[in-house]
Amino acid sequence: MTKIEQHREYLDEVYSDVSNGLPEELAEYGATLRQFTFSESEEGIWAEAVIDLPGKQDPWVRRRLIIPAEGPDKDAWFTAMLFSSGTTEDLDTR
C-alpha cells in the first residue's frame, strides 16, 4: 500500500479544503488554481499547486511536504489552511 493510499481519507479532506478555499484567495491576485495534486517520496507526501498568474506565460508551482514519513502531524483542515495561507503569503512576496 502506498503512503497516498494509506492516508486517502486525510488527503481527501486536504484536497477538498484547498480546492474550495484557495481559488477564492487566489482570485484576489488575479491568479487561478490550475491543478492541485499529491505525490510521495521517502520523505512523505507532498502537495503541489499549479497556479496561473496574470501576465505570466509559465505557471507558478508551489510544492510543500504536508505529511512527513512518520505520518500526519496536524489535523487535515489545519494542513490545508497552512498550505493555502503559505501560498498566498508567497504571492505577496512575488
Side-chain angles (χ1 to χ4, degrees):
M1 177 181 295
T2 67
K3 292 175 190 155
I4 289 176
E5 292 169 340
Q6 181 179 358
H7 299 291
R8 176 53 54 202
E9 187 175 315
Y10 182 95
L11 293 171
D12 286 346
E13 185 176 340
V14 171
Y15 183 87
S16 177
D17 289 348
V18 170
S19 297
N20 290 324
L22 186 56
E24 187 174 314
E25 294 177 39
L26 292 175
E28 295 177 23
Y29 298 87
T32 56
L33 180 63
R34 180 191 297 183
Q35 184 177 1
F36 183 64
T37 59
F38 302 110
S39 62
E40 62 183 78
S41 71
E42 52 198 41
E43 295 171 294
I45 298 176
W46 298 79
E48 181 175 284
V50 178
I51 299 167
D52 290 322
L53 300 172
K56 302 286 184 184
Q57 183 175 357
D58 294 326
W60 175 51
V61 178
R62 183 170 197 276
R63 185 172 187 255
R64 296 289 180 260
L65 183 68
I66 61 165
I67 300 179
E70 303 79 37
D73 57 355
K74 299 170 193 61
D75 291 332
W77 69 267
F78 191 63
T79 296
M81 187 272 307
L82 288 175
F83 185 88
S84 295
S85 64
T87 300
T88 55
E89 285 176 17
D90 286 352
L91 279 174
D92 283 337
T93 62
R94 292 183 69 80

